Amino acid sequence: MFGLVDCNNFYASCERVFRPDIRTAPVGVLSNNDGCLIARSREIKDLGIKMGVPYYQIKEQIKRYNIQVFSSNYELYGDMSNRVMRLLRDFVQDIEVYSIDEAFLDFHGYERFNLKEYGEKIVHTVTKGTGIPVSLGIAPTKTLAKVANKFAKKYPGYKGCCIIDTEEKRIKALQKTEVSDVWGIGRQHTKFLNKYNVKNAYEFTRMPKSWVRANMTVVGERMWEELNGIPRIALDEGLDMPKKTMCTSRAFGETISHIEGLREAVSTFAAMCAAQLRKQGSSAVSIMVFIHTNNFKPEEPQYARNCILDLPVPTSVTAEIIKYANIALSKIYRPGFKFKKAGVIITGICPDCAIQQDLFDTNLNRDKHARIMPIMDKLNSGFNRNSLIMAAQMGSQKWKMKQNHKSPCYTTRVSDFPVVKLH
DNA sequence: TCTGGGGTCCTAGGACCC
DNA sequence: TCTGGGGTCCTAGGACCC
């Protein structure tokens, strides 16, 4: 059996942990730049306010219902996530951290356990130990565990833990699950399936396997089998799985027209990618830079380009990656536009141990720089993020995000923790 | 005024190998 | 006259996930 633990309204719940005063108030969290609503507490969902709506469109409701809004604080959410995962590891040996707020548990070998009881204990312990309410779904496959989790969340009667362990329960659950709610079925497949009158997950499992395979590739076939109770997706503990691509991009707080401002942003994104590369012991083989204007304003002149460069020799040296990112930027920059967003994508990555050297390499300083990097990373670790940056990253900082409602990093920055006055 | 960010997997087709 | 069979690697684009 597999378990899926999912934190309820994760970001909103994180904001509540250190704010008992808003525990029963509607709480919402905004995307970067305070753009869209990306997390909602139960109360907001009940008001019918949709996921992903632009902030400015709901300002009136925020006032009317006294909704507490926060800018996203990923440092806080990341740390709270670690706490949840750590507690889960006390209950099962094999866990797959699937996302910031989800983890799969492997109950292989727990046949003698009463999994329903054990599951309730997990839910209770994590909720109590972190302040983050969680739900658990248990079933013979990961896809079914996802289904079970939705029921655990929806119906309080399950006490946070729903288990699909009989054929009757499986069929009933699938009949009550819309096909669009199945893990792996997105908008396109939903549209396609609805065309053939496949509305719920059970109907999907009754379609011929060959038809699914022919129309939805092996991915669809895998989901079909998983829903039919045949495990096809193994637990992935994600040990030492280096990333195959990385991206750092942001929409700017203010639009930028001059290349200097873009250089500053692109250099910062490049430096962030470089640090990430070093963290996983990899180097960039090729790099892409993109810039574009605000496509939500079609009345303004639009411009969007990207440029991919192959590096002469793969590297993770910040200065070098910044250099090539800026070369790419110069190739695509055009004056006369108001740029709203830029990004750096490392499109090709290779492990440091497999770098192909260049006989005619002109950068004779790479080794020297490479020795500096660990020192820079060390200085920037822990509480000292950004204590040492490249000069190219400095300037007007016009690109910096709007974050007007950010909460303190309660658990990771001493200086952020509010002083409690005792009377 | 105002609209997020970061990933993975699969397929088809081209180029190439022996 | 006539021209095989079996592979790999790479990339762009699509679909999906949180």
Side-chain angles (χ1 to χ4, degrees):
Chain A
M1 298 292 264
F2 289 96
L4 174 70
V5 175
D6 192 318
C7 302
N8 304 348
N9 320 318
F10 183 56
Y11 296 170
S13 299
C14 287
E15 296 293 350
R16 272 178 174 165
V17 171
F18 296 92
R19 289 284 307 273
D21 56 311
I22 57 170
R23 203 150 285 171
T24 55
V27 173
V29 177
L30 304 173
S31 62
N32 279 342
N33 266 321
D34 295 343
C36 301
L37 183 72
I38 55 162
R40 305 158 297 160
S41 71
R42 164 66 33 210
E43 298 76 16
I44 299 190
K45 290 179 185 170
D46 290 345
L47 285 171
I49 299 176
K50 293 263 182 304
M51 171 80 172
V53 288
Y55 177 40
Y56 72 91
Q57 287 178 5
I58 52 167
K59 281 213 166 139
E60 201 243 321
Q61 283 153 296
I62 287 170
K63 228 174 156 178
R64 182 163 8 130
Y65 299 108
N66 194 22
I67 296 174
Q68 306 292 312
V69 288
F70 293 89
S71 305
S72 27
N73 182 347
Y74 289 102
E75 201 171 318
L76 174 66
Y77 311 151
D79 188 63
M80 293 309 291
S81 172
N82 289 336
R83 293 171 182 220
V84 170
M85 303 308 169
R86 214 150 49 214
L87 281 178
L88 291 176
R89 287 180 209 280
D90 291 342
F91 288 91
V92 277
Q93 199 155 36
D94 299 319
I95 133 170
E96 171 188 345
V97 178
Y98 179 65
S99 74
I100 194 163
D101 73 329
E102 275 178 60
F104 284 104
L105 313 178
D106 187 353
F107 286 117
H108 180 85
Y110 288 67
E111 286 78 12
R112 285 153 57 118
F113 280 60
N114 179 334
L115 282 182
K116 170 74 173 135
E117 263 175 33
Y118 196 58
E120 283 176 20
K121 196 172 154 198
I122 293 175
V123 169
H124 179 254
T125 307
V126 174
T127 302
K128 198 161 179 207
T130 61
I132 306 285
V134 302
S135 305
L136 171 57
I138 301 176
T141 69
K142 283 167 107 177
T143 309
L144 285 171
K146 275 264 191 188
V147 172
N149 184 282
K150 296 224 162 157
F151 285 89
K153 257 195 188 151
K154 201 165 167 192
Y155 302 104
Y158 288 116
K159 291 193 211 155
C161 175
C162 171
I163 179 163
I164 296 177
D165 54 357
T166 66
E167 190 61 5
E168 292 73 28
K169 287 189 200 168
R170 183 183 73 86
I171 292 172
K172 204 168 160 200
L174 292 185
Q175 284 170 338
K176 287 180 145 191
T177 301
E178 276 182 44
V179 84
S180 60
D181 286 335
V182 171
W183 184 43
I185 296 185
R187 273 212 287 277
Q188 300 307 315
H189 285 321
T190 300
K191 228 191 288 172
F192 173 79
L193 290 170
N194 286 346
K195 214 166 66 192
Y196 288 88
N197 231 355
V198 176
K199 296 269 161 54
N200 66 45
Y202 181 70
E203 288 163 352
F204 176 65
T205 63
R206 301 315 294 167
M207 296 301 277
K209 183 162 127 179
S210 55
W211 181 86
V212 174
R213 163 82 212 217
N215 291 292
M216 298 170 71
T217 76
V218 289
V219 185
E221 183 184 51
R222 207 148 52 203
M223 289 185 300
W224 184 91
E225 293 197 300
E226 282 253 320
L227 288 174
N228 275 305
I230 306 158
R232 287 289 307 275
I233 307 174
L235 194 88
D236 174 8
E237 289 179 73
L239 300 173
D240 309 310
M241 279 297 289
K243 280 185 186 151
K244 296 164 188 167
T245 136
M246 297 175 176
C247 172
T248 307
S249 78
R250 297 283 183 279
F252 307 140
E254 295 173 48
T255 55
I256 297 174
S257 296
H258 293 110
I259 193 163
E260 289 77 25
L262 290 175
R263 282 219 175 97
E264 204 182 302
V266 165
S267 299
T268 303
F269 303 156
M272 290 163 78
C273 285
Q276 245 200 98
L277 281 167
R278 293 194 294 273
K279 206 168 164 192
Q280 69 167 35
S282 301
S283 287
V285 177
S286 52
I287 176 172
M288 175 167 112
V289 172
F290 70 83
I291 50 174
H292 65 74
T293 46
N294 189 347
N295 33 28
F296 288 106
K297 287 190 175 170
E299 68 277 12
E300 289 186 357
Q302 294 290 314
Y303 180 89
R305 290 283 185 285
N306 68 61
C307 170
I308 300 183
L309 286 184
D310 290 324
L311 306 191
V313 176
T315 180
S316 63
V317 169
T318 298
E320 221 178 347
I321 293 190
I322 287 182
K323 177 178 135 189
Y324 287 103
N326 278 293
I327 292 174
L329 173 63
S330 320
K331 290 195 180 184
I332 51 178
Y333 173 75
R334 295 283 178 280
F337 293 97
K338 293 201 254 176
F339 291 100
K340 182 63 181 168
K341 186 170 177 176
V344 172
I345 304 177
I346 308 296
T347 44
I349 293 178
C350 78
D352 286 341
C353 58
I355 291 177
Q356 177 64 53
Q357 301 296 333
D358 177 1
L359 204 52
F360 307 105
D361 190 7
T362 51
N363 183 353
L364 304 174
N365 282 327
R366 186 174 300 111
D367 287 347
K368 216 159 93 185
H369 279 292
R371 286 200 295 277
I372 298 174
M373 289 301 109
I375 301 168
M376 181 158 150
D377 292 333
K378 182 115 201 247
L379 287 169
N380 285 333
S381 67
F383 292 143
N384 308 312
R385 271 205 313 177
N386 297 328
S387 58
L388 187 59
I389 61 169
M390 306 297 287
Q393 299 172 236
M394 304 198 302
S396 65
Q397 308 278 300
K398 270 171 88 172
W399 64 273
K400 285 247 166 144
M401 298 181 292
K402 252 185 291 180
Q403 288 191 311
N404 293 329
H405 309 282
K406 196 161 164 201
S407 56
C409 297
Y410 297 104
T411 58
T412 48
R413 285 171 191 260
V414 181
S415 57
D416 267 14
F417 202 84
V419 178
V420 180
K421 285 185 191 146
L422 296 173
H423 296 286

